[in-house]
Amino acid sequence: MKLYLSFIHKEFLHILRDGRSMLILLGVPVVLLMLFGYAVSTEVKNVRVAVLDLSRDVLTMKVCDRLSANPYMKVNHFAGSIDDVYGLFRRGETDVAVVFGHGFANDIGHKGGAEVQVIVDGTEPNQATIRLQYVTQVLASAGRDVAGMTASQAVMDIRPVTRMLYNPQQKSEYNFVPGVIGMVLMLVCVMMSSVAIVREKETGTMEVLLASPLSPACIIISKLVPYFAISALNVATVLLLARWVLGVPMAGSLWAFLGVTLLYILVALTLGLFISNLVRTQVAAMVVSVLFIIPTVYLSGLAFPLESMPRVLQWISAVVPARWYIDAARRLMIQGVEARRILADVWPLLLMEAVLLVVALKKFKMRI
């Protein structure tokens, strides 16, 4: 029994001395709990509402006050024309637009009701449906308030006329295909590049490569080029399947989409190079690479809205490459925005690539 306990003690010491194992064993459950507790939520919050008020009367102001008072939404823009409304959608600055037509108060007073156009960004169908429900519920309750401001004192009917932009059929494929591309590229590129370099170290052939006339940087980059080409082939395959099998359109510039995708592949491959400097075995490289799936799924906007997360998690998500790529891919594929509209997503990816490349090459050991 004493020998058995001694052996258990030895195993505990081995585990406790391995910082990476302790991080996985004790850190991952905490991270998952925090993500599932705070980030993973189907509840949609902070809905950005733009208002176009062509009537400009007391009744429309009353309805706008009700929209602003709702805890799940905020009126962040008052547009001057319908072109301004569509411009807000193209720039990604609003989620829902409420348009009051001319003579809103006149229709309420003489016809007992009026129509209000509600325009929703349908890029993400589930969130679009929830946002539409929020606005229609507020409009329905506003009818009771409006009734108190008229002579009849009867409940007035405010009838929303809905229009879904970008995805009128509300197909879920439109939302998930760009996200799946980002997740697959992150997993494949990070895992393959990190394992390929660690394999050379583990088998002892890296020293032979470093003894060649080429510089270490050239050797490392030459090892990443084949994975870059294979990833580009994967992108072409996924795009063809998405277009001809799932019916997902490419509403924007194909060249802009390919450009931001290739940049994202470079970031993922460089991240794999960075991981290869942290671990010594192929198994460890695969485990660390798989761990990157967690932030890619939960903190990128792939499955859960970033707007509904606490502010701290939104800041943390800024260092997740998939967040910027998925946003750019959706806007190009589904919304069809101009290439200059995705520069806000491109700059973070360029910065990540520069930082990761410099750090990875600096940390790369000339001797094994």
Side-chain angles (χ1 to χ4, degrees):
M1 187 64 180
K2 184 177 181 181
L3 181 62
Y4 177 69
L5 293 175
S6 299
F7 189 79
I8 294 177
H9 180 260
K10 179 187 73 69
E11 290 300 317
F12 266 111
L13 290 178
H14 278 303
I15 296 174
L16 293 174
R17 289 170 181 170
D18 188 354
R20 296 187 182 94
S21 297
M22 291 300 298
L23 180 62
I24 294 174
L25 292 173
L26 300 180
V28 171
V30 174
V31 172
L32 288 176
L33 178 63
M34 296 300 291
L35 285 176
F36 277 96
Y38 290 99
V40 179
S41 174
T42 57
E43 187 178 40
V44 178
K45 301 178 182 178
N46 300 320
V47 179
R48 299 169 299 173
V49 179
V51 174
L52 173 57
D53 187 0
L54 300 177
S55 183
R56 299 183 183 276
D57 53 56
V58 178
L59 298 184
T60 57
M61 292 177 60
K62 187 71 174 180
V63 178
C64 290
D65 290 340
R66 288 300 299 266
L67 291 170
S68 300
N70 189 281
Y72 291 96
M73 64 184 70
K74 57 181 178 180
V75 178
N76 62 341
H77 285 95
F78 285 91
S81 65
I82 193 64
D83 291 335
D84 293 341
V85 171
Y86 291 131
L88 292 172
F89 279 111
R90 285 193 297 270
R91 295 191 296 271
E93 297 178 3
T94 191
D95 303 310
V96 183
V98 179
V99 181
F100 297 99
H102 295 286
F104 178 85
N106 183 65
D107 290 342
I108 287 288
H110 294 85
K111 299 179 181 179
E115 292 185 347
V116 175
Q117 186 178 24
V118 180
I119 306 173
V120 186
D121 183 350
T123 305
E124 302 173 41
N126 294 331
Q127 295 182 38
T129 301
I130 296 174
R131 289 164 178 162
L132 178 60
Q133 290 175 353
Y134 287 170
V135 174
T136 53
Q137 288 173 4
V138 172
L139 291 177
S141 63
R144 293 187 289 270
D145 290 348
V146 170
M149 302 178 63
T150 60
S152 65
Q153 298 295 316
V155 176
M156 298 301 171
D157 183 20
I158 300 179
R159 299 181 297 274
V161 179
T162 306
R163 181 184 179 189
M164 286 283 182
L165 289 182
Y166 311 123
N167 186 8
Q169 297 87 7
Q170 294 186 276
K171 293 183 178 180
S172 59
E173 300 93 325
Y174 285 24
N175 177 39
F176 281 103
V177 166
V180 169
I181 294 175
M183 183 179 66
V184 169
L185 289 178
M186 177 58 65
L187 178 62
V188 172
C189 294
V190 172
M191 182 181 295
M192 292 299 100
S193 61
S194 62
V195 169
I197 296 173
V198 172
R199 184 191 302 121
E200 300 284 358
K201 296 180 180 180
E202 196 173 9
T203 57
T205 56
M206 182 59 76
E207 290 183 339
V208 178
L209 294 176
L210 293 176
S212 67
L214 292 175
S215 65
C218 290
I219 293 173
I220 297 303
I221 293 174
S222 65
K223 290 188 70 64
L224 298 182
V225 168
Y227 295 105
F228 181 85
I230 294 173
S231 299
L233 180 62
N234 284 334
V235 172
T237 303
V238 170
L239 284 179
L240 290 174
L241 290 174
R243 179 66 185 89
W244 301 110
V245 177
L246 299 177
V248 179
M250 177 60 70
S253 169
L254 176 62
W255 295 111
F257 178 83
L258 293 177
V260 71
T261 301
L262 295 180
L263 173 60
Y264 179 68
I265 292 174
L266 282 176
V267 173
L269 290 174
T270 310
L271 183 58
L273 173 60
F274 176 75
I275 292 174
S276 69
N277 292 320
L278 304 178
V279 298
R280 297 180 180 179
T281 64
Q282 298 179 58
V283 174
M286 293 184 67
V287 170
V288 175
S289 301
V290 170
L291 290 179
F292 275 91
I293 288 297
I294 296 174
T296 299
V297 171
Y298 297 114
L299 296 179
S300 65
L302 168 62
F304 306 100
L306 293 174
E307 297 83 3
S308 302
M309 298 180 186
R311 187 69 62 182
V312 174
L313 288 180
Q314 293 184 33
W315 292 339
I316 295 175
S317 70
V319 299
V320 178
R323 168 188 172 175
W324 307 104
Y325 172 73
I326 292 174
D327 182 68
R330 282 174 176 165
R331 298 182 69 186
L332 286 170
M333 292 184 70
I334 312 305
Q335 297 182 5
V337 300
E338 300 174 356
R340 60 189 177 91
R341 299 296 185 187
I342 65 167
L343 289 179
D345 297 315
V346 172
W347 287 117
L349 290 175
L350 287 172
L351 180 61
M352 290 180 192
E353 171 62 18
V355 172
L356 285 172
L357 185 61
V358 170
V359 174
L361 293 178
K362 288 287 185 180
K363 292 289 185 180
F364 186 78
K365 297 179 180 179
M366 295 292 293
R367 297 183 181 274
I368 310 301

